[in-house]
Amino acid sequence: MTGSSAYIANLVQSLASMTYAFSLDEICHEPDRDTPLCDVKNALLGDSRFVPLLDADSEGSYFIPRAALDRWFVWLNTRLALAGVFRLSEAKLTKIACSLRKEGCWKALGTDMVASPRRLGLISPSPVAGEYVFPLAWVLSNLPPQQITTARDVTSAMLDPLERKKCLETETIDVLLAHFDERERFVVTQREGLVDGKKETLEEIGHHLGLSRERVRQIEAAFWKKVLGKKKRGKYDLRNKLLRLFVAQFIESGGTLLVPCPSNTASATCFLCKGLGIPFYRLDDFPYIIVGISFMYTRQLTEPDRDTFSLYADRVSRELVEEWDLFMREEDIKILAQHIFSKRVRRLSKAEKVALALRHIGCPSHYSKVTEVYNALWPDDPSTERNIHAVLNREQYGVVWIGVRGTFALREWGYERPDKTLFKCVEEIVRSKYQETGRPVSFDVIRAEIGRYRRLVNPTSLYFAACFNPNLSREGSQSFVPKCECAHGMKDDSPSDDALDQIFAEFEKKWATEKPES
């Protein structure tokens, strides 16, 4: 090994124990050292113990030991858990992350900085743009403050793959329950399904032990009193062991809070959560245990306002974070959102499906287009254009006809059903402008003013409503005046259409009775 190589190896080894980010300029400042900076940089890039951090000023010349970065995120999670904060904006996190540097501050938070802790479940992008969530902090917030502080040291230790593997292999639930008597162990393992994932009832356990149902319940209650009790002697001994195992499983799974069930893993997770006081629940027809939420919480997720819920799974994801405060990793949120979305869709009525198909289009559309999109969204429940048109005409769930033949929109887009016909709107425009100016009103003026009455108008229909309006008279090729006024401002004494119809009816009747013989 050359002198330069030995120098680089020793330098990299010493840098691995640093607790903050460093730049090449900060570590290679010896004037008599001929080692090129590029060689040091390549050595750091090729070493998995270091994470390169991009920065606008340094062009990626900053590095931080991976272990130091992960420990910093563990510290951040525990601090957030104590504060009850589980979501940070990117700008806020960038500002906090400046504590990883001796001098200066980050201009932006690079993806490299969160990639490693994200794999461990210490941070995750939020469905809300520009935000991050902290699943571990959310779960740890259910623990007493003293145990949250303990969790910081436990989690830091579990970052080591070897230590984590040792914990998962040796500190099993069977080992943790070894100091309880045989009867207590049997009752708890059977009640929690720790053997085969199947939970037994009090009667079934009592039948095996020759005890009454009430006696089995007392044994179970005594066990949990020992685990969760407030006796000073060994107060947190077992709970700390449960915490180590829980954190080891959390990090090993990448921070997932969804545990497939039924399975032995799900039963073990439920046991750990119960021993630590962390809530958990399983939604109906959802093949996962959800760690961090309770029964009352899930009712809000599955029974939302049917007039406002979203059709799209990604919108449901944002809803879970923004409205229901679920701070799980991005992958978990997507799985849960897809389940909730599917469950909501199965409960939709025909009118709701049609309204959501229109919302999917995103703009006023003809019923034929709505039918096309509807059949694409729900191929198992196809419908004809005639049926879709009939449903749209009911104007339910915010659907409204906008005055154009066969075209509908949603009120949430700012549309309302016209309270006047297009002929009446054109007549009012012409009368108003004619009274203001005393001159014939051009079609260009009508086209410019119609927006005050309707947001969307078919140009052909507008022209037809002007040219064939029974209450307007044409002056020239493209101008109009009210029919009761002539071009000189004189009153038009011509009979109305109704009067003419009556005259013609009387004429036909008289002609039929007094028709001269040929």
Side-chain angles (χ1 to χ4, degrees), residues 70-82 85 88 93 96-97 122-123 134 137 152:
D70 293 341
R71 284 196 301 270
W72 183 86
F73 272 95
V74 169
W75 172 86
L76 178 61
N77 271 270
T78 54
R79 294 297 299 174
L80 293 175
L82 290 169
V85 177
L88 293 176
L93 182 59
I96 297 175
L122 304 178
I123 189 174
F134 299 85
R152 179 183 59 195

Side-chain angles (χ1 to χ4, degrees), residues 463-480:
Y463 186 77
F464 181 87
C467 295
F468 298 96
N469 197 310
N471 298 318
L472 299 180
S473 296
R474 183 183 295 189
E475 292 288 334
S477 60
Q478 295 288 329
S479 298
F480 305 88

